[in-house]
Amino acid sequence: MIDFQGLNKWFGSALHVLNDINLHVEKGEVVVVCGPSGSGKSTLIRCVNGLEPFQSGKLLVDGFDLGGKPSLLRKLRMEIGFVFQQFNLYPHKTALENVTLAPIHVRGLSKAEADARGREILTKVGLADRMQNYPGQLSGGQQQRVAIARSLCMQPRVMLFDEPTSALDPEMINEVLDVMVGLAKEGMTMIVVTHEMGFARKVADRVVFMDQGMIIESGEPESFFNNPQNERTRDFLSKIL
Ligand code: ADP
Ligand code: MG
């Protein structure tokens, strides 16, 4: 579903932000990406939906060549859900309106079809009684679940998460992670940048550790956490676990 082949990206001439990235994600796999701040995690996943151009190597997403025609990017982006640390909901639209906008305006669903889908998905993320609320009337955890629902309403083939719980108060983290665990178990293909290692242990097929633009180590959670091979991985894990 996602295939990085020797991908390199620089910001300007000095910053080699992605250094020979090779990463292969099968349909239905969940890959967790961790690493220190500034290691290139966000840039890596932003490449997957074409938000970041790159200078060399190859990136294939769902058979689509990201080095190819920019005109096809719009089409690809419809198939990829992206959830950020900041929820970026429309403040003057209700939860239901937030999740139905794109299905109506981008996918061309009728309002009735979009409403039905939106209600179903908001119910699935535990917000059946919050559909008519505005973002300002919702907690951070509820807003992030609306943001996830908004992506799901587009019926994406891949979901990307960039530190989705980092801006949340601790007591709200689990309600968001639970939704993500549910998605993973349903077979969604996901790349998740997070330092929530409990989540990684529970659902990741693979954990990837990045430092200074490179994938330093990757493995199944069991071996990654219990027996990290690289000194930098061990050092990082000792700081966050
Ligand atoms: P992470 O998500 O792991 O914290 P990022 O991918 O956000 O790392 O950033 C990796 C490096 O690239 C950092 O040094 C950051 O300052 C730099 N960077 C990110 N975006 C840009 C940009 N648009 N222009 C120049 N440098 C950038
Ligand atoms: Mg980041």
Side-chain angles (χ1 to χ4, degrees):
M1 186 63 95
I2 302 169
D3 198 17
F4 288 84
Q5 300 171 7
L7 185 141
N8 286 283
K9 175 178 176 66
W10 285 263
F11 280 122
S13 55
L15 182 59
H16 199 171
V17 63
L18 295 174
N19 188 339
D20 191 28
I21 297 292
N22 292 286
L23 179 65
H24 183 81
V25 185
E26 295 282 341
K27 190 171 189 302
E29 272 192 321
V30 177
V31 173
V32 163
V33 179
C34 63
S37 179
S39 57
K41 307 179 298 297
S42 295
T43 305
L44 178 87
I45 62 169
R46 284 164 57 83
C47 284
V48 175
N49 74 341
L51 283 169
E52 296 284 355
F54 49 87
Q55 282 82 17
S56 75
K58 241 182 142 120
L59 174 54
L60 304 171
V61 180
D62 197 13
F64 178 95
D65 184 349
L66 273 141
K69 286 205 187 89
S71 60
L72 293 172
L73 261 183
R74 216 181 93 86
K75 199 159 171 284
L76 177 75
R77 286 201 185 127
M78 285 168 58
E79 312 302 328
I80 301 179
F82 206 138
V83 175
F84 306 86
Q85 186 173 331
Q86 301 302 338
F87 331 120
N88 300 325
L89 300 174
Y90 293 102
H92 303 299
K93 306 241 178 243
T94 65
L96 185 61
E97 288 165 346
N98 265 282
V99 303
T100 56
L101 269 177
I104 293 170
H105 295 288
V106 182
R107 284 265 194 231
L109 264 62
S110 71
K111 184 169 182 310
E113 286 169 320
D115 275 0
R117 188 185 291 178
R119 286 175 193 282
E120 184 189 329
I121 292 173
L122 283 169
T123 302
K124 190 169 137 184
V125 302
L127 295 172
D129 55 348
R130 293 297 191 168
M131 295 186 195
Q132 302 306 333
N133 285 125
Y134 291 89
Q137 301 170 319
L138 300 172
S139 71
Q142 290 169 335
Q143 288 185 58
Q144 190 60 303
R145 283 183 285 148
V146 174
I148 295 172
R150 177 176 55 183
S151 284
L152 293 178
C153 270
M154 289 293 281
Q155 301 184 319
R157 297 170 63 83
V158 173
M159 284 287 287
L160 308 173
F161 293 87
D162 194 355
E163 305 205 30
T165 60
S166 296
L168 298 177
D169 291 331
E171 73 273 19
M172 294 172 187
I173 290 176
N174 279 333
E175 67 193 54
V176 172
L177 292 179
D178 286 347
V179 169
M180 293 165 60
V181 169
L183 267 184
K185 293 201 165 145
E186 282 171 18
M188 178 63 81
T189 307
M190 296 165 52
I191 301 182
V192 184
V193 176
T194 186
H195 293 159
E196 293 292 336
M197 294 298 132
F199 172 82
R201 278 185 190 271
K202 205 183 290 180
V203 296
D205 293 292
R206 217 146 5 103
V207 186
V208 170
F209 172 68
M210 285 185 74
D211 195 14
Q212 297 182 353
M214 286 180 277
I215 294 181
I216 302 294
E217 181 161 359
S218 90
E220 292 176 9
E222 170 80 13
S223 57
F224 182 87
F225 290 115
N226 297 345
N227 192 18
Q229 298 298 303
N230 190 283
E231 181 61 39
R232 281 194 265 178
T233 315
R234 287 197 289 271
D235 182 52
F236 176 76
L237 289 176
S238 74
K239 284 176 185 146
I240 64 160
L241 288 177

